[in-house]
Amino acid sequence: MSFTDRMAQALRHARDKNLTGLLIAPGPDLVYLTGYRPVAITERLTLLVLSAGHEPTMIVPRLERPDAEKAPVKLVDWADGTSPYEAAARLFNRVGTYGISDSAWAMHLLGLQEELPDTLYVSLTKALPMLRAVKDADELERLAAAGAAADQAYEEILKVRFSGRRETEVAADLAALLTEYGHSQVDFTVVGSGPNGANPHHEAGERTIAEGDTVVLDFGGLKGGYGSDTTRTVYVGDNPPDEVREVHDIVRQAQQAAFEAVRPGVACQEIDRVARRVITDAGYGEYFIHRVGHGIGLTTHEPPYMVEGETQELVPGMCFSIEPGIYLPGRFGVRIEDIVTVTEDGGRRFNNTPHELRTVN
């Protein structure tokens, strides 16, 4: 889909929500709609204005206009020493309700409100949560390539020594591997060993990994502009205890059950419910402490969210994580995560490394 088509589609969705127009700040929404990513996001106002009956127009700082010329929109610039909000106000209806990007700076929103006191603003994520949710063929290819690169990094990290090394060292190895396999940006490399694995968002620290540890590896970033995000849990040593094997197998079954539930027309919350039911029935419900998934695309976390209360139905082209986990405080954690996309009759994984409990040295 071309940028022009994306902007037209966004405006149609805005009209369906009774919005006067859309205000797109620098960030993933602006990249999605125009392909333009400012060299630096600063205090100077940059804003794409979309409203029915008007040509898509972006207001930019004058010194950044040469870079912005590549965007497929009309440009209006403003100079240092003048009011960007006064310049922007000429592009607005003076009365109306606008959807505005979540990434917009508060100072800019307040400036617009002061200049246009009869306008109202709503979060774009709240107003149009599905704006970027359904991927086209090119986006699906990019997400598949990012997932395959993350899979390659996982297979390689299994070959390094874990025992006797700090979490930060293994995390650095993971980051280097993601870069080696084509990631332009590494967003996170969670290495949660032993009791640290019971913290879902543990930041790799100075703990020394030891034989007998269970280690949660959650890592991802951007390749070709689109995100990867995968989690596998490994055991340091040759013979994982029965309890570790049992917990890992429960999480594996929950992940598989949730994947098998993916198909068009199913509510997002149902994917969470299916995984949670498996873990709860096994007696570990209180130790599954987060939603089962999140959307992914130009960012690693975006709508739709696989969480209780989200009644949005799945449609082909949606992409999201399925990542159930069990976290036993002070002891260990287990999580298994794949990125999947909705197809015409089910789901397709973008991560295809084995789900079995792997052992490392």
Side-chain angles (χ1 to χ4, degrees):
M1 186 183 298
S2 70
F3 293 126
T4 300
D5 289 340
R6 286 178 177 178
M7 287 187 281
Q9 178 176 269
L11 264 178
R12 288 195 296 272
H13 291 329
R15 186 168 53 249
D16 291 343
K17 297 293 184 179
N18 296 316
L19 295 175
T20 307
L22 302 176
L23 308 179
I24 311 299
D29 294 331
L30 187 61
V31 174
Y32 178 74
L33 292 170
T34 70
Y36 177 55
R37 189 190 305 271
V39 174
I41 298 176
T42 70
E43 73 284 355
R44 291 185 172 96
L45 177 70
T46 292
L47 198 68
L48 171 67
V49 181
L50 301 177
S51 59
H54 298 278
E55 183 179 1
T57 303
M58 187 164 64
I59 184 166
V60 299
R62 184 163 297 168
L63 78 168
E64 296 179 11
R65 181 167 186 141
D67 289 332
E69 292 284 358
K70 60 188 176 185
V73 297
K74 177 182 176 182
L75 293 182
V76 171
D77 60 38
W78 62 277
D80 285 355
T82 65
S83 169
Y85 311 115
E86 183 178 331
R90 302 188 190 106
L91 309 177
F92 286 46
N93 291 342
R94 301 198 72 85
V95 178
T97 301
Y98 288 87
I100 188 167
S101 295
D102 293 13
S103 59
W105 286 24
M107 64 179 286
H108 295 324
L109 176 57
L110 293 170
L112 292 170
Q113 288 178 320
E114 184 176 353
E115 188 69 34
L116 298 164
D118 293 323
T119 53
L120 299 173
Y121 303 88
V122 295
S123 158
L124 204 58
T125 292
K126 181 177 180 180
L128 299 179
M130 296 298 111
L131 175 65
R132 295 184 281 118
V134 179
K135 274 59 180 179
D136 62 26
D138 177 68
E139 292 179 291
L140 292 173
E141 286 184 13
R142 290 171 183 265
L143 283 162
D151 284 356
Q152 290 175 298
Y154 173 66
E155 292 293 351
E156 290 300 315
I157 201 68
L158 296 176
K159 301 174 184 178
V160 311
R161 174 164 287 279
F162 280 62
S163 180
R165 303 178 70 214
R166 295 188 300 274
E167 291 174 342
T168 51
E169 294 177 290
V170 176
D173 288 342
L174 265 175
L177 286 166
L178 286 170
T179 300
E180 179 182 341
Y181 288 112
H183 280 66
S184 59
Q185 177 177 311
V186 177
D187 289 335
F188 51 92
T189 51
V190 173
V191 179
S193 64
N196 289 340
N199 175 0
H201 280 175
H202 171 69
E203 189 169 326
E206 296 305 308
R207 184 181 186 276
T208 298
I209 302 169
E211 187 169 348
D213 280 346
T214 300
V215 184
V216 177
L217 304 171
D218 182 358
F219 50 98
L222 297 181
K223 181 181 187 295
Y226 281 76
S228 68
D229 186 2
T230 187
T231 308
R232 295 292 185 265
T233 303
V234 300
Y235 181 79
V236 185
D238 296 328
N239 297 300
D242 289 344
E243 183 184 23
V244 171
R245 291 182 183 276
E246 177 190 3
V247 170
H248 190 278
D249 196 54
I250 292 166
V251 174
R252 182 190 61 77
Q253 291 177 45
Q255 210 275 348
Q256 179 63 24
F259 173 71
E260 291 175 356
V262 174
R263 61 185 182 278
V266 171
C268 291
Q269 67 181 1
E270 185 62 21
I271 306 305
D272 183 277
R273 288 175 176 177
V274 169
R276 200 167 301 278
R277 190 177 304 123
V278 173
I279 291 174
T280 298
D281 288 350
Y284 289 93
E286 66 182 295
Y287 302 112
F288 181 12
I289 57 176
H290 55 72
R291 67 194 175 205
V292 82
H294 57 81
I296 190 169
L298 288 166
T299 59
T300 49
H301 281 212
E302 62 185 45
Y305 296 101
M306 306 300 114
V307 65
E308 183 65 31
E310 180 50 80
T311 58
Q312 168 67 46
E313 293 184 355
L314 301 181
V315 299
M318 282 185 176
C319 301
F320 51 88
S321 67
I322 299 179
E323 50 181 303
I326 293 175
Y327 310 94
L328 304 179
R331 301 183 62 210
F332 67 92
V334 172
R335 182 165 66 256
I336 299 172
E337 174 186 15
D338 294 327
I339 299 301
V340 306
T341 185
V342 184
T343 65
E344 294 295 334
D345 58 0
R348 170 192 168 199
R349 283 187 169 97
F350 287 151
N351 297 108
N352 294 286
T353 54
H355 288 177
E356 287 72 21
L357 180 61
R358 308 282 285 271
T359 60
V360 294
N361 295 322

